[in-house]
Amino acid sequence: HWNVVGPNFRDLHLNLDEVVDIAREGSDELAERMRAINAYPDARPATIAAQTSVPEAPEGGVITSDAVDYIVAAINAVTTTLRDIHDAVDEADPSSSSILEDYTQRLEQQSWFLSAQNSGARPAAARPAELSRRRDRFSSVPRSVEFRVEIGPAAHRLLADR
C-alpha cells in the first residue's frame, strides 16, 4: 500500500492498514489455536508461495481506484476460502471454526468499505467502459485462495491430524 497514489490516497492507505491488521491478527489467532490442539502451522514463505493463487500485486505506482479493485478481489478470494474450509474445520474442531467466522465477517466488512470507494453515484450500467475493463482484470481471480497464504497449509494439516 506504499505504492498507492491518487485521489483519496490517505484514506485508502489507512483503510489498508486496517485490512493488514485483520490479516495479521487472524493468522496469529489461527496459528495459536492450531498449536493449542497440537497441530503445526506451516507459514514458511515457500509453502505459502506454492499454495497461493493471490494475483501478483501491480508493480510500481498504483492509482487508488486500481488498488481498490485489486484488494477487493483479494479479500473476496480470502473470504471464499474461509467459507470453503469452514464446514470441514467445524467438523474437526468447532472452536476453530468460530475463529474463521469472525475473520470472515471482519474481512467482508472491509471489502464493502473499500468497494464503496469505486462504486460512485451512478448505477453499474452507467459506469464508463474503462472502469468496467479495469474491474474485469481482477474478475477472473480465483475466489478460493488468499487465506491459504496465511493458514491454508495449517488448516489442511489440522484436518488431517484430527
Side-chain angles (χ1 to χ4, degrees):
H1 73 297
W2 303 290
N3 295 342
V4 175
V5 297
N8 300 317
F9 159 77
R10 177 114 170 101
D11 291 337
L12 181 57
H13 185 88
L14 294 173
N15 196 177
L16 293 177
D17 283 341
E18 292 176 37
V19 173
V20 168
D21 288 344
I22 291 168
R24 285 181 180 152
E25 290 168 19
S27 61
D28 189 56
E29 186 172 355
L30 286 162
E32 288 177 358
R33 177 66 189 153
M34 289 180 67
R35 290 303 301 131
I37 59 174
N38 296 315
Y40 288 91
D42 186 353
R44 293 174 298 164
T47 302
I48 292 168
Q51 295 188 8
T52 189
S53 62
V54 175
E56 187 173 329
E59 186 176 338
V62 180
I63 191 79
T64 51
S65 57
D66 288 346
V68 166
D69 289 342
Y70 173 79
I71 196 66
V72 167
I75 291 171
N76 290 343
V78 171
T79 58
T80 297
T81 298
L82 291 173
R83 290 179 182 284
D84 288 347
I85 67 171
H86 177 273
D87 290 347
V89 171
D90 189 49
E91 187 176 315
D93 181 47
S95 296
S96 295
S97 68
S98 67
I99 296 169
L100 297 180
E101 293 164 7
D102 178 52
Y103 285 97
T104 299
Q105 291 173 359
R106 292 175 67 187
L107 289 168
E108 286 174 339
Q109 183 182 46
Q110 291 300 315
S111 177
W112 164 48
F113 289 165
L114 286 159
S115 65
Q117 294 184 48
N118 281 358
S119 63
R122 294 177 285 174
R127 288 193 187 121
E130 185 277 325
L131 178 58
S132 296
R133 281 192 302 277
R134 185 168 17 99
R135 290 212 170 138
D136 288 345
R137 284 196 326 230
F138 300 114
S139 65
S140 63
V141 173
R143 294 181 53 93
S144 61
V145 178
E146 275 69 21
F147 208 74
R148 289 190 179 135
V149 167
E150 296 291 338
I151 67 154
H156 287 95
R157 260 190 292 295
L158 166 73
L159 298 174
D161 291 346
R162 296 305 250 150

